[in-house]
Amino acid sequence: MINRRAISLFLAVATTASLTVACGNSPFPSGGGGDGAAKDDRAHHGLGEGGEGGEGGRSSHEDPVSYAAVLGLMKGHLLAADELMELKDYPAAEQHIGHPVEELYGDLEPALIEKNVPPFKQQLNTLVDLIQSAPTSPQTRVAFVDAQQGIDRAFEAIPELKRHDPVFVVAVIRELLDTAGSEYAAAITNGRFTETVEYQDSRGFVRYAKQLYQQIASELQTRDPELNAKVKNALEALLPVWPAPIPPAHPLKTPAQVQALIQSI
């Protein structure tokens, strides 16, 4: 199980130096700027190993990047769970379904209240109950969709222009990747995977980061081709590190190599 540590996410530059972009549907609830400003954002990162809590530093209701990143971690957990449900590994899926409500929701709740977001803890709890008692029931799939929709509604509380700002989205991507890198490192002992859950968590976070990037890639290419190339290249190099929901016999990259790719953005 992941150790809870502080989310101190505090990308004030991304908040104040955002690009004005065209409106459309929010990029965040998907499936299933200049480079200088982006580098300034990097200096404020604080997601450490297992950084899925909200204790210490600025909590998620104080910073929109933090708020979006916590929701993104929830989406990543559900992506991991969905893959395991497809493999009929329901006990493993249950662990990932439990993480959003056990480790993240409590820290997010003040922000949800402040933003008048409909609470979705009950949807998460219902999904946990059903994956335990009736994992193959159609009701479980309905509950899974309901839980995702609750997270999506919380994303929609972010102002629309900010949701569409590529600089803002890249900042969120970085936070997800930072956490993925920490979880990946926690999964490895003496050059071997010893913590499957952490490997799967990190895979889910990277996959969701890729979904976010795909929805801003065109706009980011137009506005900042150099930053777009950095994000694209990093993700293309990172995704193969997690070739399947079950870890490979040996890590394909060391934690240091993974961290270097993340830091390249």
Side-chain angles (χ1 to χ4, degrees):
M1 183 66 66
I2 300 170
N3 294 325
R4 301 183 60 213
R5 292 183 58 186
I7 287 182
S8 44
L9 311 170
F10 348 130
L11 299 127
V13 175
T15 303
T16 58
S18 297
L19 297 169
T20 301
V21 296
C23 294
N25 292 327
S26 167
F28 290 106
S30 65
D35 194 39
K39 286 184 176 180
D40 288 341
D41 292 341
R42 188 59 157 168
H44 296 282
H45 288 188
L47 271 178
E49 179 178 327
E52 293 181 34
E55 300 170 355
R58 297 175 74 181
S59 62
S60 59
H61 73 285
E62 295 175 308
D63 176 72
V65 173
S66 172
Y67 175 80
V70 174
L71 292 169
L73 294 176
M74 289 186 172
K75 296 285 279 192
H77 279 306
L78 292 186
L79 280 174
D82 197 30
E83 286 192 314
L84 292 164
M85 291 169 69
E86 290 180 4
L87 295 175
K88 302 188 186 307
D89 190 348
Y90 301 114
E94 179 190 333
Q95 295 184 71
H96 296 284
I97 288 170
H99 288 173
V101 69
E102 294 167 2
E103 300 177 351
L104 295 169
Y105 193 91
D107 297 305
L108 193 68
E109 198 162 23
L112 300 177
I113 293 170
E114 181 181 289
K115 298 174 187 297
N116 295 315
V117 174
F120 55 95
K121 186 175 184 179
Q122 185 56 54
Q123 287 95 315
L124 293 170
N125 282 328
T126 296
L127 179 57
V128 171
D129 292 342
L130 284 169
I131 196 68
Q132 292 173 341
S133 63
T136 62
S137 168
Q139 288 182 294
T140 303
R141 178 50 58 181
V142 171
F144 192 92
V145 173
D146 286 346
Q148 287 189 314
Q149 289 176 343
I151 300 170
D152 292 346
R153 283 191 291 271
F155 270 123
E156 290 168 3
I158 300 169
E160 190 172 28
L161 282 178
K162 187 167 292 295
R163 295 199 311 264
H164 291 82
D165 180 350
V167 168
F168 176 78
V169 178
V170 169
V172 176
I173 287 170
R174 287 200 187 98
E175 301 306 331
L176 295 175
L177 294 180
D178 279 347
T179 306
S182 295
E183 294 301 307
Y184 183 77
I188 298 170
T189 303
N190 296 326
R192 297 183 65 88
F193 287 110
T194 55
E195 299 293 339
T196 299
V197 172
E198 277 70 15
Y199 167 89
Q200 291 164 343
D201 279 344
S202 55
R203 173 177 163 87
F205 302 153
V206 173
R207 289 180 65 220
Y208 188 64
K210 176 64 179 298
Q211 289 185 8
L212 291 184
Y213 168 69
Q214 288 174 326
Q215 296 177 63
I216 63 162
S218 177
E219 181 71 23
L220 186 59
Q221 174 62 25
T222 299
R223 293 176 175 271
D224 193 335
E226 183 179 355
L227 178 58
N228 182 63
K230 288 180 179 181
V231 178
K232 180 176 182 288
N233 292 340
L235 286 169
E236 286 181 349
L238 284 167
L239 285 163
V241 176
W242 293 264
I246 306 305
H250 299 282
L252 302 184
K253 288 190 183 296
T254 67
Q257 289 171 325
V258 167
Q259 188 60 34
L261 288 169
I262 293 167
Q263 293 287 341
S264 70
I265 299 176

